[in-house]
Amino acid sequence: MFRYGDGEGLLRTYLFGSPTIIAFSPSAAKFVLQSDAKLSSEWPSVEILGDRSLAALQGAAHTRIRNLVVKSVNQPDPLRRIALMVQPRIISALHSWSERGTIQVLKEAKKVTFENIGKYFASFEPGPVLDILDELFIGMMNGVRANPNNIPGTAYHYALQCRKKANIIFREEMEKRKKEDNRHASTRNDLLDGLMRLKDDEGKQLSDMEVLDNIVTLVVAGYEATASAIMFAFYLLAKNPHVLQKLREEHIGLNKNGDFITSVEASKLTYTTKVVEEITRMANVSPFTFRTAKSDIDYKGYRIPKGWKVICLLRYLHTNPENYENPNCFNPDRWNVAPNPGTYLVFGAGSRICAGNMLARLQISIFLHHMVVGYRWELIDAEAGMVYLPHPKPVDGVEISISKI
Ligand code: HEM
């Protein structure tokens, strides 16, 4: 790998079988993420998500589905509903963890996150079908960041097989819903119904494959990312008791009505908001993004030829001492001052900014609330090393001992 746009934050290399530019400075990353007309979003593993997935669509087709998704999961009304919907499972999960005494946070956070996703995306209740889907989605997620070689024995090949099996389960559910009368749909009001009813300007509905590709995309996009951020919350707070203490004081001081925290209450917790920004900066659960040049592109005197891949190295932005003083130090107070433009791109930027960014922040805040108010925990291995694929995590998936306060 050698420098390409020397001093302009671009590197040239060869990845996934293509010449590739890596953008690693704040301005180069912003340019890449905000240049939709010149760069298309193209994941090497798009076959797993499907070519009608939000992540693969461009232009008007992308906007149409994106608007629905954002309206369904990322705006105040759905957030209010989802906040209440997810808490019973979070509360009971924490309780059962403390009864067991020792748990691996990643494994358990995935379980509760998936149960909640199953509920608000497709009204699936815990049980054998959700367990099978969970296995299938884990297979798909491992394939999304793998080398896209469809050869038996590879993670990518296995992911494609998982996708086929998941299609069968979702198709059955969709067929069942098509036969129901409309009353069920209006009481259920989940994302699967929303996608099945979505019409374009000419009144045309999405095809079954379009619905499927997008449900799968949303689960893949939201599942491991949210669970990993929750895992890092346990990890970073265990390592930084002074932050935990300050956070606990904010939550204990909250005058809430009943067992649940509302999305509005969560949004007003100023220290928590900073903790969430700092957790997501350090967790880097989405370390890079993929684009392809639609035509020759000129950036500050350098040319990116048509067809070349362009990767934004988000993790580098968040861990570069030029952007953050002592970047490896977990310091929520650094958010007393707004970050410099282009240095915090945890959720991307531009028209493809994460469609679930507010939902992700809310879920982390809700988890933080129940964790810090009711529990104390310690890392079993505070020195565990890090692995980075398919998502960054301490090797032990953050094993903790946990008990009620
Ligand atoms: C901590 C949690 C999360 C992180 C760090 C994260 C990060 C990101 C990033 C960086 C992108 C931009 C990708 C690009 O530019 O190519 C993205 C896109 C996306 N995210 Fe998230 N995400 C998180 C959680 C979620 C959740 C909970 C959902 C949904 C329920 C979600 C749904 C999506 C979707 C649908 C896209 C594609 C948007 C588009 O192409 O228009 N994400 N996410």
Side-chain angles (χ1 to χ4, degrees):
M1 197 146 71
F2 55 92
R3 274 188 121 72
Y4 182 66
D6 206 15
E8 300 298 355
L10 299 177
L11 289 169
R12 186 171 69 183
T13 184
Y14 203 82
L15 284 176
F16 297 106
S18 302
T20 302
I21 296 294
I22 297 191
F24 63 89
S25 74
S27 47
K30 262 176 51 195
F31 171 78
V32 170
L33 295 178
Q34 292 176 345
S35 299
D36 278 354
K38 299 175 184 158
L39 290 149
S40 53
S41 161
E42 243 174 65
W43 284 70
S45 51
V46 72
E47 230 181 319
I48 300 170
L49 303 179
D51 53 14
R52 281 143 291 197
S53 140
L54 179 57
L57 291 173
Q58 315 293 332
H62 168 253
T63 311
R64 177 169 70 122
I65 302 215
R66 190 183 157 90
N67 286 347
L68 174 92
V69 168
V70 169
K71 239 169 47 195
S72 310
V73 298
N74 214 38
Q75 287 186 347
D77 272 349
L79 289 175
R80 202 170 5 240
R81 254 187 301 118
I82 294 173
L84 300 179
M85 200 187 279
V86 296
Q87 288 182 73
R89 287 194 178 87
I90 293 176
I91 292 171
S92 85
L94 282 164
H95 174 74
S96 85
W97 300 357
S98 70
E99 294 213 311
R100 280 154 57 195
T102 307
I103 57 130
Q104 194 214 63
V105 180
L106 183 58
K107 186 168 156 229
E108 300 302 328
K110 273 184 173 170
K111 208 164 146 205
V112 60
T113 304
F114 194 67
E115 285 179 6
N116 276 329
I117 284 180
K119 177 85 184 150
Y120 60 73
F121 281 3
S123 305
F124 285 137
E125 292 296 337
V129 176
L130 203 61
D131 290 345
I132 294 169
L133 274 175
D134 193 3
E135 289 297 318
L136 298 175
F137 274 104
I138 289 171
M140 285 187 258
M141 288 182 311
N142 287 340
V144 165
R145 288 183 207 277
N147 210 339
N149 285 332
N150 189 4
I151 300 167
T154 61
Y156 190 71
H157 178 80
Y158 181 66
L160 290 174
Q161 291 188 318
C162 290
R163 171 66 208 258
K164 278 191 200 141
K165 290 182 190 159
N167 282 357
I168 296 171
I169 296 177
F170 280 115
R171 267 190 195 285
E172 263 175 30
E173 178 66 20
M174 286 162 67
E175 287 310 318
K176 203 172 86 196
R177 292 184 182 204
K178 283 181 199 164
K179 289 183 192 133
E180 284 173 353
D181 66 43
N182 282 333
R183 267 173 311 151
H184 284 90
S186 56
T187 50
R188 200 169 32 217
N189 199 14
D190 61 21
L191 188 67
L192 184 57
D193 273 332
L195 287 170
M196 287 174 71
R197 279 180 290 161
L198 178 68
K199 291 192 179 137
D200 64 18
D201 294 343
E202 288 142 28
K204 211 171 119 225
Q205 280 182 302
L206 296 186
S207 69
D208 286 0
M209 268 328 272
E210 282 177 296
V211 173
L212 274 171
D213 282 358
N214 284 292
I215 279 286
V216 167
T217 299
L218 280 160
V219 179
V220 169
Y223 175 17
E224 184 135 13
T226 307
S228 298
I230 291 164
M231 170 192 70
F232 273 105
F234 276 92
Y235 178 78
L236 292 166
L237 289 171
K239 288 200 158 213
N240 294 277
H242 59 291
V243 176
L244 174 59
Q245 182 55 30
K246 216 166 148 184
L247 190 63
R248 190 167 271 148
E249 279 162 19
E250 181 169 68
H251 284 263
I252 287 172
L254 181 70
N255 208 351
K256 68 182 198 304
N257 195 358
D259 290 340
F260 295 168
I261 179 172
T262 66
S263 56
V264 176
E265 284 162 345
S267 69
K268 289 184 184 150
L269 296 166
T270 49
Y271 190 64
T272 304
T273 305
K274 291 186 255 179
V275 171
V276 172
E277 298 302 79
E278 187 67 345
I279 289 170
T280 52
R281 177 188 74 81
M282 291 191 73
N284 281 305
V285 297
S286 195
F288 38 77
T289 62
F290 294 103
R291 297 289 185 274
T292 302
K294 292 190 211 172
S295 55
D296 289 351
I297 298 169
D298 291 316
Y299 177 70
K300 298 194 176 173
Y302 293 89
R303 170 147 299 184
I304 304 175
K306 180 179 176 184
W308 282 32
K309 306 289 176 205
V310 182
I311 290 179
C312 264
L313 213 49
L314 305 180
R315 180 195 291 141
Y316 184 79
L317 296 170
H318 305 140
T319 53
N320 185 349
E322 286 173 20
N323 301 335
Y324 293 93
E325 200 183 327
N326 292 330
N328 295 329
C329 169
F330 180 62
N331 175 17
D333 288 324
R334 71 170 82 243
W335 297 94
N336 292 339
V337 180
N340 288 329
T343 56
Y344 179 79
L345 296 179
V346 163
F347 295 103
S351 69
R352 292 200 175 261
I353 192 167
C354 177
N357 63 351
M358 296 314 291
L359 174 60
R361 287 182 164 105
L362 175 66
Q363 299 214 71
I364 302 167
S365 306
I366 289 176
F367 230 105
L368 287 176
H369 175 70
H370 294 291
M371 279 156 70
V372 303
V373 164
Y375 298 87
R376 64 168 74 86
W377 65 94
E378 275 174 24
L379 301 175
I380 304 282
D381 181 4
E383 302 308 318
M386 285 279 170
V387 287
Y388 291 95
L389 282 173
H391 281 272
K393 62 173 185 209
V395 267
D396 66 349
V398 183
E399 285 183 359
I400 55 165
S401 58
I402 177 166
S403 56
K404 282 211 157 111
I405 290 177

